[in-house]
Amino acid sequence: MAPGPLCGPADVRWPPVVSAFRLTATDGEARAGTVETAHGPIPTPAFMPVGTKATVKTLHPDEVRGLGGNVILGNAYHLHFRPGEDVVEELGGIHAFSGWDGPVLTDSGGFQVFSLRDTILALDDDGVAFRSVYDGSEERFTPEGVAEIQRRLGSDIAMCLDVCLPASASRSELERAARLTTLWAARQAGAPRAPGQLRFGISQGGTDRELRRRSLEEIAALPFEGHALGGLAVGESREEMLECVEWAAPLLPADLPRYFMGIGDPVGILEVIARGVDMFDCVLPTRTARTGSALTWDGRLNLRNARFARDARPLGEGCGCPACGRFTRAYVRHLVTQDEILGLRLLSLHNLWFVLDLTARARAAIERGTFLAFRQEALARLAQAPEEEP
């Protein structure tokens, strides 16, 4: 007998989804398109710089836009606690509050709750109770509550509350996570939202084919404007992760955007694009910058290394970012070793440029029908570059 649904029978008849996504080109499984939002279009493939607390760390919104950023990611967990969605709403919503006039995607905060597993007090069909990472106070997230937080924040894309577990989770834990994620998604699908706000569902199930497939089917049956692969890049091997994306992504609706949550290294970006993913995010570019390292075609450079003390080259040869147009590796190293804020800013500008430019080049290659050759050349070049630990 075939296994039953993860969350019980679905007897609700949902209205048809009006797609905000326009697919413009394909090359193999790779896709180029546009997600239309209330604050402008998002060309895809799209890397989303992470602005967890309504800011991309160290950067002005105009700088992010100048680097090629079209959408930033904020986090409902952190914004709920500091400064509070009531404050953000009172001051005009997340766009007016942060000074960013482009699209904003807000995560539900589910990843934060479940990555801080020691803070969880209770998990049940209604939601999850936990202690705030800020002051230890008891809090409870439900699908309706998270939807309300994101409605008041006024983001353009709101993610559903999900249960995200590490790769070490048992099959029974993964099955429960997938069941709760679907149960919660069905409730959040009908919750009030901000005007023009899109809502994305999230599938779970780890790399387990049966659980992931069932989760995908159940989430895809709900009226969402986009779909995410959650519960990956959480400790499994890169090979396992990419194998899962390869067979799972094509199971998502072809006429809606596909989002891989939490990848941002150059190789990973190319690989998920090749498997049909449209959107992705990661803290890696800015976090790597704050360790004093630069992402380049010559590998990941640790600017604290003494070998850069007299290096007159830019961070990246031929790079068009604001840092490389004016400053040398030697100068950036000086700033980093002296704990000067400008060093972190220059590295953040450079690293974000690198991943945004790589993504834009991938899109252009898809539109030309040359993505396979572009990917092979880029991967070969990256494979030759040694990485230095931060």
Side-chain angles (χ1 to χ4, degrees), residues 225-248:
E225 289 83 16
H227 293 275
L229 293 172
L232 295 173
V234 289
E236 75 280 5
S237 69
R238 177 60 66 95
E239 182 180 1
E240 290 175 310
M241 181 195 79
L242 292 177
E243 180 184 1
C244 181
V245 176
E246 188 162 358
W247 61 260

mmCIF file of all heavy atoms in Angstrom, residues 225-248:
data_model
loop_
_atom_site.group_PDB
_atom_site.id
_atom_site.type_symbol
_atom_site.label_atom_id
_atom_site.label_comp_id
_atom_site.label_asym_id
_atom_site.label_seq_id
_atom_site.Cartn_x
_atom_site.Cartn_y
_atom_site.Cartn_z
ATOM 1 N N GLU A 225 2.908 31.259 -4.715
ATOM 2 C CA GLU A 225 3.452 31.875 -5.934
ATOM 3 C C GLU A 225 4.883 31.454 -6.207
ATOM 4 O O GLU A 225 5.483 31.893 -7.183
ATOM 5 C CB GLU A 225 3.368 33.407 -5.826
ATOM 6 C CG GLU A 225 1.971 33.968 -5.926
ATOM 7 C CD GLU A 225 1.202 33.919 -4.605
ATOM 8 O OE1 GLU A 225 1.841 33.739 -3.537
ATOM 9 O OE2 GLU A 225 -0.033 34.068 -4.641
ATOM 10 N N GLY A 226 5.448 30.630 -5.360
ATOM 11 C CA GLY A 226 6.794 30.130 -5.549
ATOM 12 C C GLY A 226 7.053 29.000 -4.573
ATOM 13 O O GLY A 226 6.291 28.802 -3.606
ATOM 14 N N HIS A 227 8.121 28.246 -4.813
ATOM 15 C CA HIS A 227 8.415 27.082 -3.990
ATOM 16 C C HIS A 227 9.901 27.010 -3.682
ATOM 17 O O HIS A 227 10.738 27.304 -4.531
ATOM 18 C CB HIS A 227 7.974 25.808 -4.690
ATOM 19 C CG HIS A 227 6.486 25.708 -4.828
ATOM 20 N ND1 HIS A 227 5.686 25.202 -3.835
ATOM 21 C CD2 HIS A 227 5.649 26.092 -5.830
ATOM 22 C CE1 HIS A 227 4.428 25.265 -4.222
ATOM 23 N NE2 HIS A 227 4.377 25.797 -5.431
ATOM 24 N N ALA A 228 10.204 26.594 -2.445
ATOM 25 C CA ALA A 228 11.594 26.498 -2.002
ATOM 26 C C ALA A 228 11.938 25.077 -1.604
ATOM 27 O O ALA A 228 11.091 24.340 -1.089
ATOM 28 C CB ALA A 228 11.829 27.435 -0.815
ATOM 29 N N LEU A 229 13.190 24.721 -1.854
ATOM 30 C CA LEU A 229 13.757 23.485 -1.331
ATOM 31 C C LEU A 229 14.431 23.832 -0.013
ATOM 32 O O LEU A 229 15.467 24.488 0.017
ATOM 33 C CB LEU A 229 14.774 22.906 -2.317
ATOM 34 C CG LEU A 229 14.220 22.400 -3.654
ATOM 35 C CD1 LEU A 229 15.361 22.049 -4.595
ATOM 36 C CD2 LEU A 229 13.303 21.201 -3.448
ATOM 37 N N GLY A 230 13.811 23.419 1.093
ATOM 38 C CA GLY A 230 14.385 23.665 2.404
ATOM 39 C C GLY A 230 15.047 22.406 2.926
ATOM 40 O O GLY A 230 14.948 21.327 2.346
ATOM 41 N N GLY A 231 15.733 22.524 4.048
ATOM 42 C CA GLY A 231 16.335 21.361 4.675
ATOM 43 C C GLY A 231 17.489 20.759 3.914
ATOM 44 O O GLY A 231 17.792 19.577 4.073
ATOM 45 N N LEU A 232 18.143 21.547 3.083
ATOM 46 C CA LEU A 232 19.357 21.123 2.394
ATOM 47 C C LEU A 232 20.483 22.099 2.759
ATOM 48 O O LEU A 232 20.229 23.182 3.275
ATOM 49 C CB LEU A 232 19.144 21.074 0.885
ATOM 50 C CG LEU A 232 18.127 20.030 0.392
ATOM 51 C CD1 LEU A 232 17.865 20.200 -1.108
ATOM 52 C CD2 LEU A 232 18.595 18.610 0.701
ATOM 53 N N ALA A 233 21.734 21.709 2.464
ATOM 54 C CA ALA A 233 22.898 22.494 2.897
ATOM 55 C C ALA A 233 22.872 22.650 4.415
ATOM 56 O O ALA A 233 23.165 23.711 4.963
ATOM 57 C CB ALA A 233 22.926 23.858 2.210
ATOM 58 N N VAL A 234 22.492 21.562 5.097
ATOM 59 C CA VAL A 234 22.416 21.576 6.566
ATOM 60 C C VAL A 234 23.299 20.488 7.173
ATOM 61 O O VAL A 234 23.018 19.976 8.250
ATOM 62 C CB VAL A 234 20.955 21.422 7.044
ATOM 63 C CG1 VAL A 234 20.146 22.660 6.750
ATOM 64 C CG2 VAL A 234 20.311 20.172 6.419
ATOM 65 N N GLY A 235 24.360 20.122 6.443
ATOM 66 C CA GLY A 235 25.300 19.152 6.978
ATOM 67 C C GLY A 235 25.511 17.925 6.130
ATOM 68 O O GLY A 235 26.454 17.163 6.370
ATOM 69 N N GLU A 236 24.663 17.719 5.123
ATOM 70 C CA GLU A 236 24.888 16.596 4.211
ATOM 71 C C GLU A 236 26.045 16.932 3.271
ATOM 72 O O GLU A 236 26.450 18.093 3.172
ATOM 73 C CB GLU A 236 23.610 16.280 3.406
ATOM 74 C CG GLU A 236 23.287 17.261 2.283
ATOM 75 C CD GLU A 236 22.624 18.543 2.738
ATOM 76 O OE1 GLU A 236 22.481 18.763 3.963
ATOM 77 O OE2 GLU A 236 22.239 19.342 1.867
ATOM 78 N N SER A 237 26.574 15.930 2.592
ATOM 79 C CA SER A 237 27.674 16.176 1.668
ATOM 80 C C SER A 237 27.178 16.981 0.471
ATOM 81 O O SER A 237 25.985 16.978 0.138
ATOM 82 C CB SER A 237 28.280 14.852 1.182
ATOM 83 O OG SER A 237 27.362 14.170 0.328
ATOM 84 N N ARG A 238 28.105 17.677 -0.184
ATOM 85 C CA ARG A 238 27.749 18.436 -1.391
ATOM 86 C C ARG A 238 27.182 17.496 -2.456
ATOM 87 O O ARG A 238 26.223 17.841 -3.149
ATOM 88 C CB ARG A 238 28.973 19.199 -1.903
ATOM 89 C CG ARG A 238 28.801 19.987 -3.198
ATOM 90 C CD ARG A 238 27.728 21.058 -3.093
ATOM 91 N NE ARG A 238 28.026 22.128 -2.185
ATOM 92 C CZ ARG A 238 28.580 23.292 -2.531
ATOM 93 N NH1 ARG A 238 28.924 23.509 -3.782
ATOM 94 N NH2 ARG A 238 28.777 24.225 -1.633
ATOM 95 N N GLU A 239 27.757 16.309 -2.570
ATOM 96 C CA GLU A 239 27.279 15.339 -3.556
ATOM 97 C C GLU A 239 25.833 14.934 -3.277
ATOM 98 O O GLU A 239 25.004 14.885 -4.203
ATOM 99 C CB GLU A 239 28.176 14.104 -3.546
ATOM 100 C CG GLU A 239 27.785 13.043 -4.568
ATOM 101 C CD GLU A 239 28.689 11.824 -4.525
ATOM 102 O OE1 GLU A 239 29.616 11.794 -3.689
ATOM 103 O OE2 GLU A 239 28.460 10.894 -5.319
ATOM 104 N N GLU A 240 25.513 14.648 -2.021
ATOM 105 C CA GLU A 240 24.142 14.275 -1.660
ATOM 106 C C GLU A 240 23.182 15.420 -1.930
ATOM 107 O O GLU A 240 22.071 15.216 -2.433
ATOM 108 C CB GLU A 240 24.076 13.890 -0.184
ATOM 109 C CG GLU A 240 24.755 12.588 0.169
ATOM 110 C CD GLU A 240 24.745 12.337 1.662
ATOM 111 O OE1 GLU A 240 25.141 13.256 2.422
ATOM 112 O OE2 GLU A 240 24.347 11.231 2.064
ATOM 113 N N MET A 241 23.596 16.627 -1.580
ATOM 114 C CA MET A 241 22.751 17.793 -1.772
ATOM 115 C C MET A 241 22.424 18.004 -3.244
ATOM 116 O O MET A 241 21.265 18.178 -3.627
ATOM 117 C CB MET A 241 23.443 19.035 -1.207
ATOM 118 C CG MET A 241 22.637 20.314 -1.339
ATOM 119 S SD MET A 241 23.675 21.766 -1.060
ATOM 120 C CE MET A 241 24.505 21.889 -2.644
ATOM 121 N N LEU A 242 23.455 17.974 -4.090
ATOM 122 C CA LEU A 242 23.239 18.233 -5.513
ATOM 123 C C LEU A 242 22.448 17.112 -6.171
ATOM 124 O O LEU A 242 21.638 17.370 -7.081
ATOM 125 C CB LEU A 242 24.579 18.437 -6.216
ATOM 126 C CG LEU A 242 25.334 19.707 -5.826
ATOM 127 C CD1 LEU A 242 26.679 19.767 -6.532
ATOM 128 C CD2 LEU A 242 24.513 20.963 -6.129
ATOM 129 N N GLU A 243 22.650 15.901 -5.733
ATOM 130 C CA GLU A 243 21.863 14.788 -6.272
ATOM 131 C C GLU A 243 20.381 14.993 -5.964
ATOM 132 O O GLU A 243 19.517 14.768 -6.814
ATOM 133 C CB GLU A 243 22.341 13.464 -5.685
ATOM 134 C CG GLU A 243 21.563 12.256 -6.208
ATOM 135 C CD GLU A 243 21.970 10.959 -5.542
ATOM 136 O OE1 GLU A 243 22.842 10.983 -4.650
ATOM 137 O OE2 GLU A 243 21.401 9.913 -5.914
ATOM 138 N N CYS A 244 20.095 15.446 -4.747
ATOM 139 C CA CYS A 244 18.709 15.708 -4.363
ATOM 140 C C CYS A 244 18.109 16.833 -5.205
ATOM 141 O O CYS A 244 16.987 16.721 -5.700
ATOM 142 C CB CYS A 244 18.634 16.044 -2.877
ATOM 143 S SG CYS A 244 16.960 16.349 -2.272
ATOM 144 N N VAL A 245 18.857 17.914 -5.370
ATOM 145 C CA VAL A 245 18.359 19.037 -6.175
ATOM 146 C C VAL A 245 18.097 18.593 -7.606
ATOM 147 O O VAL A 245 17.108 19.000 -8.228
ATOM 148 C CB VAL A 245 19.356 20.212 -6.152
ATOM 149 C CG1 VAL A 245 18.886 21.345 -7.063
ATOM 150 C CG2 VAL A 245 19.541 20.736 -4.728
ATOM 151 N N GLU A 246 18.958 17.729 -8.121
ATOM 152 C CA GLU A 246 18.847 17.302 -9.522
ATOM 153 C C GLU A 246 17.528 16.603 -9.808
ATOM 154 O O GLU A 246 16.918 16.835 -10.857
ATOM 155 C CB GLU A 246 20.020 16.388 -9.870
ATOM 156 C CG GLU A 246 20.086 16.051 -11.351
ATOM 157 C CD GLU A 246 21.442 15.530 -11.759
ATOM 158 O OE1 GLU A 246 22.353 15.466 -10.914
ATOM 159 O OE2 GLU A 246 21.591 15.191 -12.943
ATOM 160 N N TRP A 247 17.070 15.746 -8.884
ATOM 161 C CA TRP A 247 15.803 15.057 -9.151
ATOM 162 C C TRP A 247 14.605 15.776 -8.542
ATOM 163 O O TRP A 247 13.468 15.620 -9.011
ATOM 164 C CB TRP A 247 15.839 13.599 -8.681
ATOM 165 C CG TRP A 247 16.066 13.361 -7.216
ATOM 166 C CD1 TRP A 247 17.234 13.012 -6.614
ATOM 167 C CD2 TRP A 247 15.091 13.433 -6.166
ATOM 168 N NE1 TRP A 247 17.055 12.871 -5.262
ATOM 169 C CE2 TRP A 247 15.749 13.103 -4.960
ATOM 170 C CE3 TRP A 247 13.736 13.728 -6.125
ATOM 171 C CZ2 TRP A 247 15.089 13.093 -3.724
ATOM 172 C CZ3 TRP A 247 13.067 13.715 -4.900
ATOM 173 C CH2 TRP A 247 13.748 13.404 -3.713
ATOM 174 N N ALA A 248 14.837 16.613 -7.513
ATOM 175 C CA ALA A 248 13.714 17.269 -6.841
ATOM 176 C C ALA A 248 13.252 18.539 -7.547
ATOM 177 O O ALA A 248 12.045 18.796 -7.638
ATOM 178 C CB ALA A 248 14.088 17.586 -5.393
#
